[in-house]
Amino acid sequence: MAKFTFVGGIHPYDGKELSKDKPMKAVLPKGDLVYPLSQHIGAPAAPVVAKGDHVLAGQKIAEAQGFVSAPIYATVSGLVKAIEPRRVVTGDNVMSIVIQNDERYEEVEYPAAVPAERLSRQEIVDRIKEAGIVGMGGAGFPTHVKMCPKEPDKISYVIANCAECEPYLTSDYRRMLEEPEKLIAGLKVMLLLFPNAKGVLAVEDNKPDCIALLKKLTRREEKISVAALHTKYPQGSERHLIYAVTGRAIHSSMLPADAGCIVDNVDTVVAINRAVNEGKPLMNRIVTVTGDAIANPQNFIVRIGTNYHELIEEAGGFVREPAKIISGGPMMGFGIFDLDVPTTKTSSALLCLTHDDMEGQEPLACINCGRCVEVCPGRVVPKLLAELAIHQDLEGFERHDGLECCECGCCSYVCPAKRPLTQAIKSARKLVLAEKKKKQQEAKKS
């Protein structure tokens, strides 16, 4: 079996055995649900409900503002309790709609399903847009925008990112095993938008059961194949996944479409199927609740807006007080200090660990070992970029290809001096990108 991969990367302990054999389990929320208006890259959504309104599950409660934005839907029935700032996993206070759950879970009547093959290209894109689908792997980029490249006829690959290379996460794995038909159906919908493209289900080879199942189900599909990827982090990074599958290299100033590729995460592709073939908006996602501090690690089908506290309770609570709680995986997730935050469209996991590997460790002087360079999938020099970032030399940072960093964390992981390389580079990248955006806005005004 051919193994597809890229240069660089690491092999951390993956921790997937804690939850990979736990089937998906639907969770009904009990308390209030909170819907931040910024659950995506782009303009925040605008409320279309007011305090005191009664809403149903599946009802639009916030409208997209502009092309790069996405609407938001209620996931329970109940009363709009407030529209006010609420804390999210990043620690920011974000304007949010709060719904008091009446626990009846009454739903709107969805439009009649129409087979995707009978819809025009624009109708398919409109359904994806109206459903509020964004990149559910963590990026939160509105999916309808990705489905509208300048030259759709030049797209030759539509890749379903089934790698799930982040340690501990098993939500995509369970979705592939339990609902593979929905994943394949979503990929078929995407292929209708790109007549010259082939579909690829790209799966790491540490999931042989998924590879075998998907190959079996697609054996008669001329335009869909399954690629077995070498198991390595960050194999699921969009840039490196494209290179592994197609051999095409892209850099920070390019979009995947510039290399003739469209890439979407498993849950996103399933949501596309649900929106186009069933007429239903994005209302839930799979969240892995795991870690050695969790009594019973699980993969939950979670209604967006559900409080993290409720997920911990559903997983049996803590066996021991966690030293570290992370929203997402250990490599690219956010450390959080408060569980009183809602799940959003981009919430992939809640990781609770009894030991914090970095606690009490002071960074030492760089010993110039070169390990960070060896593992960097972006082929840059993390040590140099971190130094430029610390000294606020943004011009030098950009000149030495700082924007090519994908913030995967490989360099920090292997650094024997425990230097926070990724954190420094990430901060500098934000400053450089913010400055570029500012200049673009000023240029438009002039």
Side-chain angles (χ1 to χ4, degrees):
M1 183 185 294
K3 305 291 173 62
F4 301 86
T5 192
F6 59 95
V7 177
I10 57 175
H11 296 85
Y13 163 65
D14 69 10
K16 294 181 186 289
E17 75 282 355
L18 294 173
S19 58
K20 76 180 188 69
D21 296 324
K22 303 295 180 64
M24 298 186 299
K25 177 184 176 183
V27 174
L28 287 178
K30 302 177 182 65
D32 294 346
L33 284 91
V34 177
Y35 304 88
L37 297 176
S38 293
Q39 299 189 39
H40 50 265
I41 290 173
V48 292
V49 293
K51 182 179 178 180
D53 287 353
H54 183 269
V55 298
L56 300 177
Q59 179 178 332
K60 186 188 292 185
I61 56 175
E63 183 64 89
Q65 295 297 291
F67 183 56
V68 185
S69 186
I72 298 168
Y73 292 80
T75 56
V76 296
S77 55
L79 198 70
V80 177
K81 190 174 178 180
I83 301 177
E84 61 187 19
R86 287 294 184 98
R87 195 176 301 282
V88 295
V89 293
T90 58
D92 299 323
N93 281 315
V94 174
M95 190 61 70
S96 306
I97 297 171
V98 183
I99 294 180
Q100 183 178 341
N101 181 9
D102 64 13
E103 300 190 32
R104 295 177 182 173
Y105 304 105
E106 297 171 322
E107 294 193 42
V108 299
E109 186 173 334
Y110 300 108
V114 178
E117 294 79 7
R118 288 169 49 189
L119 299 173
S120 68
R121 185 181 196 283
Q122 190 57 53
E123 286 173 327
I124 292 173
V125 172
D126 288 344
R127 287 199 173 203
I128 293 170
K129 179 180 180 180
E130 187 62 19
I133 302 172
V134 304
M136 296 167 72
F141 191 78
T143 302
H144 70 275
V145 180
K146 192 179 288 189
M147 298 297 112
C148 297
K150 292 180 181 179
E151 299 177 290
D153 289 346
K154 291 187 178 181
I155 299 299
S156 49
Y157 290 96
V158 176
I159 305 171
N161 185 351
C162 310
E164 198 166 49
C165 63
E166 181 83 30
Y168 288 94
L169 274 61
T170 56
S171 54
D172 287 349
Y173 172 74
R174 293 310 313 179
R175 180 77 88 177
M176 286 186 281
L177 271 188
E178 297 181 53
E179 297 181 337
E181 296 88 355
K182 294 181 180 179
L183 171 62
I184 295 167
L187 183 55
K188 286 182 178 180
V189 170
M190 295 170 71
L191 288 171
L192 291 174
L193 301 175
F194 307 106
N196 300 322
K198 293 182 178 180
V200 180
L201 296 154
V203 192
E204 279 194 325
D205 61 1
N206 63 349
K207 306 173 185 68
D209 44 359
C210 288
I211 292 172
L213 179 59
L214 293 173
K215 281 191 171 184
K216 178 182 176 182
L217 294 175
T218 59
R219 65 186 183 277
R220 293 190 178 89
E221 301 289 343
E222 293 182 3
K223 296 188 69 175
I224 297 177
S225 62
V226 179
L229 307 171
H230 181 63
T231 299
K232 181 169 59 170
Y233 178 86
Q235 187 69 265
S237 165
E238 189 172 62
R239 202 181 303 176
H240 307 105
L241 182 69
I242 288 172
Y243 180 78
V245 172
T246 71
R248 300 176 182 182
I250 63 173
H251 51 75
S252 61
S253 63
M254 296 172 65
L255 295 172
D258 295 328
C261 299
I262 299 291
V263 182
D264 266 313
N265 154 271
V266 167
D267 239 7
T268 308
V269 177
V270 171
I272 288 172
N273 169 64
R274 189 184 303 120
V276 177
N277 288 320
E278 300 176 24
K280 295 182 179 179
L282 176 56
M283 296 168 59
N284 60 54
R285 63 158 302 131
I286 311 299
V287 178
T288 301
V289 180
T290 187
D292 61 352
I294 295 292
N296 186 19
Q298 295 283 333
N299 295 289
F300 292 126
I301 304 173
V302 177
R303 295 184 184 227
I304 291 164
T306 303
N307 191 282
Y308 272 163
H309 271 302
E310 294 188 31
L311 300 186
I312 296 293
E313 290 174 10
E314 286 286 341
F318 297 129
V319 290
R320 272 194 294 165
E321 193 65 25
K324 188 80 171 180
I325 300 177
I326 300 170
S327 177
M331 299 301 295
M332 297 189 73
F334 295 94
I336 61 176
F337 59 87
D338 186 0
L339 283 168
D340 188 20
V341 292
T343 54
T344 65
K345 297 177 183 182
T346 58
S347 301
S348 59
L350 186 59
L351 175 60
C352 304
L353 302 171
T354 59
H355 179 67
D356 183 353
D357 289 338
M358 298 306 295
E359 187 177 11
Q361 294 205 29
E362 290 294 329
L364 302 174
C366 174
I367 61 173
N368 294 308
C369 64
R371 293 183 190 176
C372 61
V373 179
E374 290 177 3
V375 301
C376 178
R379 314 320 297 153
V380 295
V381 183
K383 172 227 173 179
L384 173 61
L385 293 177
E387 288 176 353
L388 293 168
I390 290 168
H391 290 94
Q392 295 290 298
D393 183 357
L394 299 184
E395 185 179 328
F397 179 87
E398 189 172 2
R399 188 170 64 251
H400 287 89
D401 298 320
L403 293 180
E404 299 308 312
C405 170
C406 66
E407 302 177 9
C408 64
C410 288
C411 54
S412 295
Y413 181 84
V414 300
C415 179
K418 304 301 179 186
R419 298 180 67 78
L421 303 172
T422 306
Q423 292 85 338
I425 296 170
K426 186 175 183 178
S427 297
R429 288 185 80 247
K430 284 183 178 178
L431 293 173
V432 171
L433 292 171
E435 186 61 28
K436 282 180 174 290
K437 185 176 181 180
K438 181 181 177 182
K439 288 179 179 178
Q440 288 172 353
Q441 291 172 341
E442 289 174 350
K444 287 181 181 178
K445 292 178 182 178
S446 61

